[in-house]
Each structure stands twice: as structure tokens, then as C-alpha cells.
């Protein structure tokens, strides 16, 4: 199982750039104290039952939350494993996801201390990935970082994965045009606010587009990743098809999800076979030969997604956002000291990943525990 290797924080030194702004100290090559992955039943219940989450967010955030639940207590420096499993899970749901290498700057806005994680020139050393990996979802403009709590500054808040939506963009007309089409251009920044922290993600150069999947370690594990992704998507669909949830989910206009929900209605049951794979029993399970994996279900391939008028308007607004001075842009200037780099800010308000945000009521918690068997 490949591991990602980061850098241990050091005390910030005060040096000046050509703008006179302090820059964060590189953390060197020493290991930091890796955090642990944490799953939260309340976070899953809050996502599905609170009524605060948009239908598309429910679909996109549920797989990372379920993966964290499966991996609870494991070391969190497995960004490649998590991203690849989620990549295949999203594919089963008809959602395009792109594994992307990034470097990350975590800045404490109270102490003005910043530290680098990942690296702008990621590489593999045997089974160890030197860098950090996330998923980019072009359709929704969300960035998914399921293993962000490997970093000590972030893990102390215990808020779960990053699932932020792009709220504003800056850069050249060409870069803004690429962003409006759902791309994440090299060198572009995404800033996420989390409590007293500002997390600044930077997309690596084009030459590193395939670095995450270029290793023999990842290629050799592809079938294992795919199998795990199919099971993860299957688990997600057992929640998405619940009567209390399904009507909201259908409003998201995810065509493959809707096609799967049409097939997986009553009386189709979900079972786990002796290998640990999810299977769906057709005809109420009367025929053992009809216990099918998710990728074996007889559904028609939905047509390619056609952007809705609302999605086109959202992309146009992102591309037309004026280059005005905001807190995220000022922070990026301090970190990079460059003039013409596209800056992007995410709004994490649409991602209730922590139990206190959109947590279910007491009665709903009991209902959720019955579903998960706890």
C-alpha cells in the first residue's frame, strides 16, 4: 500500500520577497507526526438527513465519508490509495474525477505561521509517493481531500475531509476560460478556510499530470482499487436509495445515479458475499445467479451530461469574477509572490462534514444507527 511522505513543520523564519512580504518556511525532508483517519456516523447522518445539503453535494460527499468510516483509525498518509479508490467509486456513479498532485500551504491566521506540505515536483521512490494527492471534480468544481487530517495542524479540528466548491477565480483570460470549462490549470490555487487555518492548494505543472498514476505500484493495484471503488459506490447507493433520501437525490440530475436508482428499487436487496463484495439480488434473491455486482447491473448507459442553464451561468460567473483584492488573494501573494497566477477560493459552507454542522436530531440518530447496524 503506497504511502505519501510529507515534511515536518519548522518555525517560520522572517525573510522578505521583492514585495517585502514574509514567506513560509519550507518544512524540509523530516517526517511529521501523521494523523489518523476518522469516520463519523453523525457526519453521514447529518449529510443525508439535515436538509441543509444540496442533492449534488450529498452524492459527491457521501463516498469520502463512507471511505473514512471504513478506514477509521488507520494512518492518514494514504492519499494515493484514498484518491484512487474514490476515483473508481465516482466512476461507478457516473462522476468524472481527476487525481491531481498538489502542494499545500497551511497557514494559521492567528499566529501567521505557515508550513508547506506536498511538493511542486512530486515523485515516486519505490512505493512511497513524495507529494500530496487530491481529486478534482470538473462538473461541480469541487476539490476532494479525504486524507487532509494526516497533517497535524488540520487534524486537531477534527472536521473530516475537504469538500469545497469553487466560489471565485482569478487569472489571465485563458486561465479563467479553462476554469469555466471545469479544468484546473497548472499553478492555479484553491484556498479553503477551516477554523483559524487557511489551506492553499496549488495544482502542479502539466508535466506532473500523470505522476499519481504513473507508478508500477498504482498500476499493479489498479484492480484492487477498482474492486474497492465498486464496493464503496455500492455502499453509497444503499443509502442514496433510502425512501427518506432518494427523492432529494433525484433532483441532482446525475443521470447514471438515477439510472442505478431505477434498477435498485424494491424488491432488490443488497448482500455481502463471502469475498466481502457488495451484490444486489434481483427478483428478491430467488435466483442465486442474479446476485450481481454494481458493475454487472443491467442498466442502459446514460447519455453524456449536457450542462444545464444553471451550470452554464455558474461557470460564466466564475470566469467573469473581477480581480479584486480579497483575503485569499492577499494570502496567496504572501505565499507565492507572483503576479499572474490564477487564484481560486472555495466555499466550504456547503460541506457539513463535522457532526455539529447539520447533525441529525436525536430521533434521526437512532434511525441512522439502525441503518448501519450500530
Amino acid at each position: 500500500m503506497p504511502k505519501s511522505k510529507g515534511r515536518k513543520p519548522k518555525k517560520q523564519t522572517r525573510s522578505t520577497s521583492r514585495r517585502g512580504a514574509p514567506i513560509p518556511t519550507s518544512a524540509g525532508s523530516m517526517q511529521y507526526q501523521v494523523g489518523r483517519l476518522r469516520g463519523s456516523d453523525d457526519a453521514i447522518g447529518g449529510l443525508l438527513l439535515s436538509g441543509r445539503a444540496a442533492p449534488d453535494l450529498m452524492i459527491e460527499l457521501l463516498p469520502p465519508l463512507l471511505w473514512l468510516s471504513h478506514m477509521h483509525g488507520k494512518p492518514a498518509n494514504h492519499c494515493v490509495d484514498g484518491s484512487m479508490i474514490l476515483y473508481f467509486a465516482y466512476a461507478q456513479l457516473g462522476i468524472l474525477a481527476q487525481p491531481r498532485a498538489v502542494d499545500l500551504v497551511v497557514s494559521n491566521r492567528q499566529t501567521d505561521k505557515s508550513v508547506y506540505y506536498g511538493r511542486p515536483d512530486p515523485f515516486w521512490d519505490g512505493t512511497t509517493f513524495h507529494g500530496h494527492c487530491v481529486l478534482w471534480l470538473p462538473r461541480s468544481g469541487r476539490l476532494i481531500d479525504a486524507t487532509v487530517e494526516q497533517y497535524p495542524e488540520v487534524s486537531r479540528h477534527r472536521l473530516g475531509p475537504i469538500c469545497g466548491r469553487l466560489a471565485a477565480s482569478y487569472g489571465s483570460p485563458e486561465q479563467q476560460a479553462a476554469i469555466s470549462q471545469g479544468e484546473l490549470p497548472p499553478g492555479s490555487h484553491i484556498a479553503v478556510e477551516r477554523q483559524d487555518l487557511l489551506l492553499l492548494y496549488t495544482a502542479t505543472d502539466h508535466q506532473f499530470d500523470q505522476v499519481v498514476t504513473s507508478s508500477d505500484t498504482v498500476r499493479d493495484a489498479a484492480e484492487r482499487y477498482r474492486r474497492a471503488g465498486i464496493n464503496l459506490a455500492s455502499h453509497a447507493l444503499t443509502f442514496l436509495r433510502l425512501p427518506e433520501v432518494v427523492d432529494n437525490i433525484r433532483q441532482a440530475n446525475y443521470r447514471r445515479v438515477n439510472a442505478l436508482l431505477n434498477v435498485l428499487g424494491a424488491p432488490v436487496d443488497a448482500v455481502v458475499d463471502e469475498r466481502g463484495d457488495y451484490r444486489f439480488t434481483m427478483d428478491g434473491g430467488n435466483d442465486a445467479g442474479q446476485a450481481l455486482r454494481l458493475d454487472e447491473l443491467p442498466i442502459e448507459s446514460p447519455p453524456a451530461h449536457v450542462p444545464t442553464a444553471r451550470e452554464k451561468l455558474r461557470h460564466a460567473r466564475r470566469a467573469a469574477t473581477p480581480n479584486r483584492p480579497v483575503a485569499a488573494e492577499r494570502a496567496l501573494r504572501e505565499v507565492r509572490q507572483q503576479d499572474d497566477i490564477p487564484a481560486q477560493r472555495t466555499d466550504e459552507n456547503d460541506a457539513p462534514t463535522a457532526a455539529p454542522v447539520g447533525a441529525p436530531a436525536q430521533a434521526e440518530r437512532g434511525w441512522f444507527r439502525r441503518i448501519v447496524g450500530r
Side-chain angles (χ1 to χ4, degrees):
M1 181 177 291
K3 296 181 179 179
S4 60
K5 188 172 183 180
R7 291 168 279 188
K8 184 178 178 181
K10 290 183 179 180
K11 184 177 179 180
Q12 183 180 14
T13 60
R14 291 286 178 175
S15 60
T16 57
S17 69
R18 54 191 171 92
R19 292 178 179 267
I23 61 174
T25 302
S26 175
S29 59
M30 298 179 63
Q31 286 279 359
Y32 55 88
Q33 185 64 41
V34 176
R36 299 275 172 174
L37 297 172
R38 300 185 184 92
S40 171
D41 290 350
D42 284 342
I44 299 173
L47 174 71
L48 298 176
L49 302 174
S50 69
R52 300 183 184 183
D56 65 319
L57 175 65
M58 295 168 68
I59 295 172
E60 293 181 358
L61 181 53
L62 183 59
L65 290 178
L66 289 175
W67 182 75
L68 288 172
S69 180
H70 285 295
M71 298 292 291
H72 183 82
K74 302 290 186 181
N77 59 333
H78 290 286
C79 60
V80 173
D81 288 328
S83 294
M84 293 306 300
I85 290 172
L86 287 168
Y87 166 81
F88 284 105
Y90 284 128
Q92 289 298 314
L93 300 177
I95 300 173
L96 175 63
Q98 300 172 350
R100 295 295 298 269
V102 297
D103 70 65
L104 172 63
V105 177
V106 180
S107 302
N108 189 308
R109 291 176 291 178
Q110 294 180 349
T111 64
D112 290 329
K113 179 181 178 181
S114 299
V115 61
Y116 286 114
Y117 290 107
R119 54 189 303 135
D121 55 344
F123 65 94
W124 284 90
D125 180 12
T127 60
T128 299
F129 180 63
H130 293 260
H132 187 48
C133 175
V134 299
L135 283 178
W136 171 249
L137 308 185
R139 174 178 172 178
S140 64
R142 288 192 176 103
L143 178 141
I144 306 292
D145 188 350
T147 62
V148 69
E149 291 197 342
Q150 66 180 288
Y151 305 123
E153 296 83 3
V154 183
S155 64
R156 63 186 174 89
H157 291 303
R158 301 195 174 197
L159 292 179
I162 293 290
C163 181
R165 165 171 277 173
L166 180 64
S169 63
Y170 308 93
S172 68
E174 293 79 11
Q175 291 167 331
Q176 291 185 21
I179 293 169
S180 71
Q181 296 299 318
E183 299 178 18
L184 189 62
S188 59
H189 294 265
I190 295 179
V192 179
E193 294 182 352
R194 175 161 284 193
Q195 300 289 2
D196 58 346
L197 301 177
L198 182 66
L199 283 67
L200 303 176
Y201 292 87
T202 304
T204 58
D205 192 73
H206 266 315
Q207 63 180 306
F208 302 109
D209 281 355
Q210 306 300 322
V211 67
V212 175
T213 57
S214 64
S215 169
D216 289 340
T217 300
V218 173
R219 286 194 289 264
D220 292 344
E223 184 55 35
R224 176 171 61 86
Y225 289 143
R226 180 175 180 272
R227 177 187 170 199
I230 292 172
N231 285 326
L232 184 60
S234 301
H235 193 185
L237 283 163
T238 64
F239 287 98
L240 298 179
R241 70 174 185 164
L242 292 171
E244 296 85 348
V245 178
V246 67
D247 288 341
N248 284 336
I249 295 303
R250 289 189 181 276
Q251 298 177 25
N253 194 29
Y254 278 68
R255 299 188 181 190
R256 180 170 173 82
V257 171
N258 284 335
L260 289 167
L261 292 175
N262 290 337
V263 173
L264 297 179
V268 178
D269 297 322
V271 298
V272 178
D273 65 17
E274 64 278 1
R275 294 187 61 206
D277 291 331
Y278 272 85
R279 291 185 177 272
F280 296 94
T281 59
M282 315 301 287
D283 300 325
N286 296 326
D287 184 354
Q290 290 297 98
L292 304 177
R293 290 197 324 182
L294 183 61
D295 60 325
E296 299 170 341
L297 292 177
I299 65 171
E300 295 183 5
S301 299
H305 172 68
V306 177
T308 64
R310 178 174 296 180
E311 289 173 336
K312 290 180 180 178
L313 178 60
R314 186 175 71 237
H315 285 315
R317 285 175 175 171
R318 290 175 189 167
T321 301
N323 192 352
R324 60 183 182 272
V326 293
E329 185 184 13
R330 290 196 299 269
L332 291 175
R333 286 180 179 175
E334 292 182 2
V335 172
R336 296 300 180 200
Q337 294 83 46
Q338 296 180 20
D339 291 323
D340 298 320
I341 53 177
Q344 304 168 18
R345 182 175 62 84
T346 59
D347 180 2
E348 207 181 8
N349 293 333
D350 68 340
T353 59
V357 181
Q362 191 63 37
E364 292 173 332
R365 286 197 181 97
W367 174 86
F368 179 71
R369 289 195 179 99
R370 290 195 296 274
I371 292 176
V372 299
R374 296 183 182 179

